[in-house]
Amino acid sequence: MKLKGRNKVSPEFSMSSMTDIVFLLLVFFMLTSNSPNALDLLLPKAKGKSTNTQNVSVSINKNLDIFVDNVKVKSEFVETELKRRLKDVDKPTIILRAEKSVPIDNAVNIMDIANQNNYKVILAVRPE
């Protein structure tokens, strides 16, 4: 009577699946970690739905004029105007509309004001 099995157990172990899992976990934790020095930017997809969480709109045209909800505001009074409009809002959100030719410094100034006051910023994009 022969009781020995014909199938041999292979002691080899493939690390490729384990490496994939570790890599995916690394990417997940990097995306979900919060950095205290980063601006809280929400960049909507060009083909996606627009959000209805807009509280205040800040627009910058090619002449570097700044408009808060279609009202022209001097650059030194933008922060006080935003504070006035967003003082009683639970989750204050600013939608930033900057023309393509506007230097990035002007948009970053608005983002910096939002970061200092804990406002969220949504950068408006043109649909493709």
Side-chain angles (χ1 to χ4, degrees), residues 38-123:
L39 294 175
D40 192 11
L41 296 178
L42 302 173
L43 300 175
K45 294 180 182 177
K47 295 181 183 179
K49 294 180 181 178
S50 62
T51 60
N52 293 330
T53 60
Q54 173 185 349
N55 295 321
V56 174
S57 171
V58 177
S59 303
I60 306 172
N61 66 8
K62 61 184 173 185
N63 299 328
L64 302 181
D65 296 326
I66 300 174
F67 298 88
V68 177
D69 283 339
N70 297 326
V71 177
K72 189 174 180 179
V73 178
K74 291 185 178 181
S75 61
E76 57 264 16
F77 299 120
V78 171
E79 184 170 8
T80 55
E81 183 66 21
L82 288 174
K83 284 182 180 179
R84 185 182 69 77
R85 291 178 186 248
L86 296 172
K87 66 180 179 181
D88 296 327
V89 179
D90 287 339
K91 295 179 181 178
T93 304
I94 299 170
I95 186 161
L96 178 59
R97 293 182 174 97
E99 282 192 15
K100 189 176 180 180
S101 62
V102 172
I104 192 71
D105 292 342
N106 297 76
V108 169
N109 288 337
I110 303 298
M111 290 181 214
D112 202 17
I113 290 170
N115 188 35
Q116 291 170 1
N117 294 296
N118 295 322
Y119 301 150
K120 290 192 177 204
V121 177
I122 298 174
L123 182 60

Side-chain angles (χ1 to χ4, degrees), residues 20-40:
D20 292 344
I21 291 171
V22 171
F23 178 71
L24 290 174
L25 285 173
L26 176 70
V27 170
F28 174 76
F29 286 122
M30 285 178 61
L31 291 175
T32 58
S33 69
N34 290 333
S35 175
N37 295 331
L39 294 175
D40 192 11

